[in-house]
Amino acid sequence: MYLSRVRLKNFRNFEDCEFSFNSGVTVLIGENNVGKSNLIFALQLIFSPESSDRSRTLTIDDFCSHVTRTSAPPEIRIVCTLTDFVTPEEKSTVQTWLTKRPNEAMLTYVFRCNEKGKVIYKTDPEKRIPIEHYSYTIFGGEEETREPFEYEQLRKISLETLSALRDAEGRLCPGSRGMLSSIVKRFGASDDDKEKMKTALDTVNRILGSSEQVSSAQKAININLQQVCGSEFAQESRLTPVGTEYEDLVRNLMIQIRSPGTGFHELCSNGLGFNNILFISTLLADLDSRRSGHELVLPMLAIEEPEAHLHPHLQRVLNRNLPRSSTSSQVFATTHSTHVTSSMSLDSLVVLNRPKTGSLQAVQVGNIFGQKYESEKKDLERYLDATKSTLFFAKTIILVEGMGELLLLPCLARHCAKKPFELDERGISLVPVNNLAFRPFLRLFGPNAIQRCCAAIMDSDSAGTPIQIREVKENATVQSLRSEFQKPELDQYIRIITNLKTLEYDLAIATKEGAEDDPMAPLLNESVIIEALNDTPGVAKSKIPMVGEIQDRRDFGKKVVELIDKKHKGRFAQVLARKIEKGFQIPPYIQSGFDFVCGRRYD
């Protein structure tokens, strides 16, 4: 059994949003303040074992600010759908929550006003209903009934949460506040074992009490205790290591840890990142034992920012192994880490997105591809790394061919665009596909996918040395992409933009606006390009033309491409990036891409 869908209505920043989940691990990604923690809090309202009447009662601030005014007063609704019941215990737990659809149950939390509040709203819909007229209810199934809700059954489903500001060391410390004793107790101990431990404790206490050091301290304390309280009220104290009973031993258990080849040490000597991993492992062990002991039918764990205090390699290792470690639990993780994102399967990713228009959107990335494009999904999973996966966090995206564009486009945006800007400040991700297929990346965007703008800036690789746009004949790959993605329904999301030939060619022949079709127009970037060629290692210096030596723009562009060749493109881009300043002419196709992702469209 697992939680397959959640629908949030009028809750915090969710006007009406539905989430779909697979079993196992789900990773929730998106920019700051997009609602990842709000979703976890919504789940806690129903499934947290620590929830009480007080914690389930919301405030006026929990209502979405975009609540639509209707004839009925506003209410918050959280609907959770459970799927795939296998064991008799699972079926028994959800028996009264079943829907009309096969193998499906539903739990709903509603926060709404009472009859007095409804009268106030009917009299004056603009008047805010006092929060004391609101209360919550939870019911199972599709329709609410007057039958009392089975909270005892709900306790069979439990959500443990690790907040972003968690105290792993504190939660794992000995004592009543720690969680170790409760975990150990669930594994049980025989009466014989308990008696043996009690005998051992008595022996330790006797040896300790007979030592001169402890007996002297104990005597000094008791003398002062009698003097302070008087003989009538004085008590007698005893110094013991952990108490005298089995429960005392378990309650004061201390966890220690070591790396291979070292001795055990306390958690205070361990790093925060490793303590976090230990805490996650301990919680998973606890949930697994509770399920094995038939205490739970669905253990769930929500981890906010599992990457906290972990270096990139360990982030990826943790998230690759987390699905195997949580086979009997359902895990939800929220993250801002591209390392976490790139290490998970696309089926595990749910992207929270703010479209330019409409309500907040939750997209299960794997579902975008379906069975028809399964191979593209597998390709994309191989392509994604910590750099490319930034596209899931961006407001808009620019896809480019490779290293040259990756180095030069930020400089062109900063110094040469019609309205200069910084990519990061606009929330724009620049993603190189590195001569791989653009198609799987483009598949991510559209009205039925992630609703964000994506510009694919690519080389036409036209034969010859074109100047006029009408001379350009795009290669077969570009033509195929246009036929599939350049459609009216995708126009506001995807723009495929090509140059005359290649990035280097178009930078070389750039001229003033309005003169692009004139082969003899001035070469505005000539001096900078020639200076960069001279500073690029490996370029044949004897073949570099002098400034003004070549008059025809087509010949100059061809010469630059020949000198750079494929072997020197990356080095040339690095050198040129250092030299680009205000006044360097931006090629029209790059400006067109900037216009699209920035929302400034002139076509």
Side-chain angles (χ1 to χ4, degrees):
M1 179 169 73
Y2 69 97
L3 181 64
S4 59
R5 286 198 310 278
V6 174
R7 186 178 181 185
L8 305 179
K9 292 191 67 176
N10 295 334
F11 178 66
R12 295 190 173 178
N13 64 318
F14 297 104
E15 187 174 356
D16 189 353
C17 187
E18 184 166 305
F19 295 80
S20 294
F21 308 125
N22 291 333
S23 59
V25 178
T26 294
V27 178
L28 300 158
I29 58 180
E31 59 184 284
N32 291 91
N33 288 336
V34 78
K36 300 183 293 296
S37 297
N38 287 343
L39 170 64
I40 300 301
F41 181 74
L43 297 180
Q44 287 179 294
L45 290 172
I46 300 178
F47 298 116
S48 173
E50 299 178 1
S51 289
S52 61
D53 277 346
R54 183 173 182 178
S55 63
R56 284 185 169 125
T57 300
L58 302 177
T59 70
I60 198 70
D61 294 327
D62 291 308
F63 280 89
C64 178
S65 58
H66 303 297
V67 171
T68 304
R69 289 284 176 177
T70 63
S71 57
E75 66 177 28
I76 291 172
R77 189 170 287 256
I78 301 166
V79 184
C80 295
T81 302
L82 302 164
T83 306
D84 201 13
F85 320 120
V86 178
T87 67
E89 289 145 315
E90 291 174 350
K91 294 176 181 177
S92 173
T93 300
V94 303
Q95 185 62 42
T96 58
W97 309 338
L98 297 175
T99 68
K100 296 175 183 177
R101 291 172 289 278
N103 213 19
E104 181 184 278
M106 191 176 287
L107 288 170
T108 302
Y109 168 99
V110 184
F111 189 64
R112 60 191 172 199
C113 69
N114 57 23
E115 293 302 321
K116 188 172 182 179
K118 291 178 182 178
V119 171
I120 295 173
Y121 185 84
K122 189 175 182 180
T123 305
D124 184 2
E126 298 300 321
K127 187 175 181 180
R128 177 176 288 186
I129 303 170
I131 197 66
E132 58 264 25
H133 294 313
Y134 271 86
S135 62
Y136 81 89
T137 187
I138 297 176
F139 63 89
E142 293 179 285
E143 301 293 335
E144 186 175 2
T145 67
R146 295 185 178 275
E147 298 294 323
F149 182 69
E150 310 90 339
Y151 282 97
E152 197 62 38
Q153 294 297 97
L154 182 59
R155 293 189 184 95
K156 294 280 187 178
I157 303 171
S158 179
L159 173 70
E160 297 285 349
T161 304
L162 279 69
S163 68
L165 300 177
R166 52 190 173 271
D167 177 15
E169 184 180 338
R171 289 288 301 275
L172 292 172
C173 68
S176 56
R177 286 186 66 253
M179 59 184 295
L180 289 175
S181 61
S182 62
I183 294 175
V184 173
K185 286 178 181 177
R186 287 196 182 94
F187 286 91
S190 67
D191 291 339
D192 186 47
D193 285 342
K194 289 181 181 179
E195 189 60 35
K196 288 179 180 178
M197 283 185 251
K198 187 177 185 305
T199 302
L201 285 173
D202 288 338
T203 302
V204 170
N205 284 325
R206 188 167 56 253
I207 295 172
L208 186 71
S210 62
S211 69
E212 184 177 351
Q213 182 184 30
V214 173
S215 62
S216 298
Q218 185 173 277
K219 183 179 180 180
I221 292 171
N222 283 323
I223 290 173
N224 281 278
L225 185 61
Q226 190 170 33
Q227 288 176 349
V228 170
C229 296
S231 58
E232 186 69 26
F233 300 103
Q235 296 176 306
E236 184 180 2
S237 65
R238 183 177 74 169
L239 299 179
T240 66
V242 292
T244 59
E245 301 296 330
Y246 162 76
E247 285 73 17
D248 297 327
L249 177 67
V250 172
R251 184 171 58 250
N252 289 284
L253 278 174
M254 176 187 298
I255 192 168
Q256 294 185 323
I257 198 160
R258 69 176 179 182
S259 300
T262 65
F264 283 100
H265 54 81
E266 295 183 16
L267 294 186
C268 60
S269 302
N270 213 29
L272 293 175
F274 280 108
N275 282 348
N276 264 324
I277 292 178
L278 179 61
F279 189 22
I280 292 170
S281 303
T282 305
L283 269 177
L284 287 170
D286 181 37
L287 292 173
D288 288 346
S289 68
R290 292 166 71 185
R291 181 161 192 163
S292 300
H294 306 287
E295 184 180 337
L296 298 176
V297 297
L298 177 57
M300 294 188 289
L301 175 62
I303 311 170
E304 295 197 66
E305 300 179 20
E307 68 271 15
H309 312 298
L310 300 181
H311 65 80
H313 296 88
L314 199 49
Q315 289 182 38
R316 290 193 289 268
V317 170
L318 168 66
N319 288 282
R320 286 196 188 102
N321 293 325
L322 193 57
R324 291 198 294 270
S325 303
S326 57
T327 51
S328 62
S329 306
Q330 188 168 3
V331 177
F332 301 93
T334 70
T335 187
H336 297 116
S337 168
T338 56
H339 298 288
V340 171
T341 305
S342 61
S343 64
M344 303 300 295
S345 73
L346 294 182
D347 289 329
S348 300
L349 299 182
V350 174
V351 176
L352 277 168
N353 177 50
R354 288 193 187 99
K356 288 186 176 180
T357 58
S359 302
L360 198 69
Q361 177 196 28
V363 181
Q364 191 175 21
V365 179
N367 287 351
I368 294 173
F369 296 86
Q371 291 297 319
K372 184 177 180 181
Y373 303 110
E374 181 70 19
S375 63
E376 290 185 12
K377 182 175 73 175
K378 296 300 181 185
D379 287 343
L380 189 60
E381 286 178 339
R382 286 190 292 269
Y383 297 164
L384 289 176
D385 57 22
T387 303
K388 300 181 186 68
S389 59
T390 60
L391 62 87
F392 290 120
F393 299 89
K395 291 184 178 295
T396 55
I397 298 92
I398 300 176
L399 301 176
V400 294
E401 295 268 0
M403 184 58 68
E405 290 85 355
L406 187 64
L407 292 170
L408 292 172
L409 261 63
C411 301
L412 293 172
R414 185 179 304 120
H415 299 295
C416 312
K418 288 182 179 178
K419 297 180 180 179
F421 65 97
E422 292 286 345
L423 294 176
D424 285 337
E425 291 179 6
R426 292 286 186 127
I428 299 171
S429 278
L430 186 62
V431 179
V433 301
N434 295 325
N435 298 318
L436 300 170
F438 280 82
R439 184 170 276 101
F441 291 92
L442 292 173
R443 189 81 62 201
L444 291 169
F445 307 102
N448 300 316
I450 302 173
Q451 295 179 18
R452 295 178 189 165
C453 291
C454 175
I457 298 180
M458 59 186 72
D459 294 338
S460 67
D461 290 319
S462 174
T465 53
I467 285 294
Q468 295 181 338
I469 297 297
R470 59 180 174 269
E471 294 179 357
V472 175
K473 184 178 180 181
E474 295 174 336
N475 61 43
T477 300
V478 176
Q479 293 177 34
S480 175
L481 290 173
R482 285 198 187 280
S483 65
E484 185 170 3
F485 294 102
Q486 212 67 85
K487 299 176 180 179
E489 63 269 23
L490 296 173
D491 186 57
Q492 63 176 307
Y493 303 107
I494 295 174
R495 180 63 53 87
I496 295 173
I497 301 167
T498 58
N499 50 27
L500 297 176
K501 189 174 180 64
T502 66
L503 169 68
E504 295 78 15
Y505 181 90
D506 282 59
L507 288 171
I509 69 166
T511 191
K512 59 185 179 182
E513 191 172 352
E516 290 89 354
D517 288 344
D518 181 3
M520 307 307 291
L523 292 163
L524 298 185
N525 297 336
E526 181 186 26
S527 59
V528 179
I529 295 287
I530 289 176
E531 184 181 339
L533 287 171
N534 278 299
D535 291 347
T536 301
V539 172
K541 304 299 186 285
S542 61
K543 296 182 179 180
I544 299 174
M546 301 292 290
V547 174
E549 180 179 333
I550 300 177
Q551 301 297 319
D552 192 309
R553 292 167 55 220
R554 292 170 295 189
D555 293 339
F556 183 67
K558 182 180 178 181
K559 187 65 175 179
V560 169
V561 171
E562 288 174 353
L563 287 167
I564 295 171
D565 198 14
K566 291 183 178 180
K567 295 182 292 185
H568 309 303
K569 292 180 73 168
R571 292 175 180 173
F572 173 74
Q574 286 181 317
V575 173
L576 182 59
R578 298 197 299 266
K579 300 179 181 299
I580 289 178
E581 297 178 352
K582 185 177 180 181
F584 190 88
Q585 185 65 31
I586 186 171
Y589 81 104
I590 294 178
Q591 181 64 55
S592 176
F594 289 163
D595 291 345
F596 180 68
V597 296
C598 292
R600 300 191 300 271
R601 297 171 60 181
Y602 303 111
D603 55 342

